[in-house]
Amino acid sequence: MLVGNAGIVTTISSLMLTFLIPDSNNSLLYSVIFIVVGLTALWWAIQSDFVNRWLSRIIDKALTKYTDIDVKDYAAILHLSGEYQISELKVREDSWLANKTLQELELRKEGINVLGIEREGEDYIGAPIGKTMVKINDVITMYGRDEVFKDLDERERNFRGELSHQEIIRRQKELAKQKELAKQKEED
């Protein structure tokens, strides 16, 4: 990404120098107008959903045709939009998560699915089961609501941590009830 941004900066600066260095045929006004129109068109292309879809299709076809890469839109598959996201969390020594099994943590009740655990000096644990112990310095990959991740990251191993856990579970149940009521209203 850094190399791509450097290429964009180099291209824009080269264009600016080309058009801003006065010569006998070009006036400064035309050069400035050309740069403004060019940058506006570039900004529109970057922001355009149409251009994004078109380029995504071209890239998808090229990757499928010329590589063995399995091309998937993971954001669409996981419905990563709004309040849902994938996040990583490093387990600190004083973390509420430390030295507990996934079953004890009951993260699913908080609306969090643990996708994997990266442990120092060991193989990556993909789709861990309830008996898997969360250790200090583990990096946990999770899917869920942003609000819960922020709380979980700040939650310490004490009484307040347990209260916070119970509060998030209560909110998750309320959210599920609200969604169920909204679904019933749509069906009626």
Side-chain angles (χ1 to χ4, degrees):
M1 194 161 33
L2 181 62
V3 174
N5 289 337
I8 291 171
V9 170
T10 303
T11 303
I12 291 173
S13 62
S14 296
L15 285 172
M16 290 179 79
L17 287 174
T18 301
F19 290 106
L20 291 178
I21 295 176
D23 63 1
S24 59
N25 297 334
N26 292 332
S27 74
L28 182 60
L29 178 63
Y30 290 130
S31 299
V32 171
I33 290 172
F34 182 79
I35 290 172
V36 168
V37 169
L39 289 175
T40 303
L42 182 62
W43 181 255
W44 172 81
I46 290 170
Q47 298 295 321
S48 171
D49 288 335
F50 170 76
V51 173
N52 183 31
R53 284 191 305 272
W54 180 71
L55 284 175
S56 293
R57 280 190 218 125
I58 290 173
I59 292 168
D60 185 38
K61 286 178 183 177
L63 287 174
T64 303
K65 185 174 181 178
Y66 298 112
T67 69
D68 293 333
I69 296 174
D70 186 22
V71 180
K72 301 245 188 272
D73 184 0
Y74 291 103
I77 291 170
L78 294 172
H79 303 285
L80 295 178
S81 63
E83 60 188 32
Y84 288 94
Q85 67 179 23
I86 293 178
S87 185
E88 285 187 332
L89 177 82
K90 185 167 185 172
V91 180
R92 300 179 320 270
E93 189 173 333
D94 63 339
S95 175
W96 177 80
L97 299 164
N99 301 316
K100 295 181 183 177
T101 65
L102 291 175
Q103 190 171 8
E104 291 172 319
L105 293 171
E106 299 180 309
L107 293 174
R108 284 188 181 241
K109 289 183 179 180
E110 292 189 45
I112 294 177
N113 291 314
V114 176
L115 303 175
I117 299 175
E118 185 177 336
R119 187 164 288 156
E120 291 180 355
E122 296 183 27
D123 289 336
Y124 181 79
I125 304 168
I129 59 173
K131 295 178 184 177
T132 304
M133 177 73 69
V134 175
K135 298 179 181 179
I136 297 168
N137 292 325
D138 282 355
V139 178
I140 305 172
T141 305
M142 302 173 285
Y143 171 75
R145 290 186 5 257
D146 181 44
E147 166 193 341
V148 180
F149 291 139
K150 289 177 184 172
D151 179 80
L152 192 59
D153 188 31
E154 296 169 359
R155 196 179 301 166
E156 294 182 3
R157 188 179 22 215
N158 57 25
F159 182 70
R160 280 184 270 152
E162 288 300 323
L163 286 177
S164 178
H165 172 63
Q166 295 304 321
E167 175 63 19
I168 295 290
I169 290 174
R170 186 189 63 74
R171 282 193 225 153
Q172 186 65 22
K173 287 179 181 177
E174 284 179 14
L175 185 63
K177 285 179 186 178
Q178 290 173 357
K179 286 182 180 181
E180 185 63 33
L181 288 173
K183 186 178 176 181
Q184 286 177 355
K185 285 182 181 180
E186 285 180 9
E187 292 175 355
D188 291 339

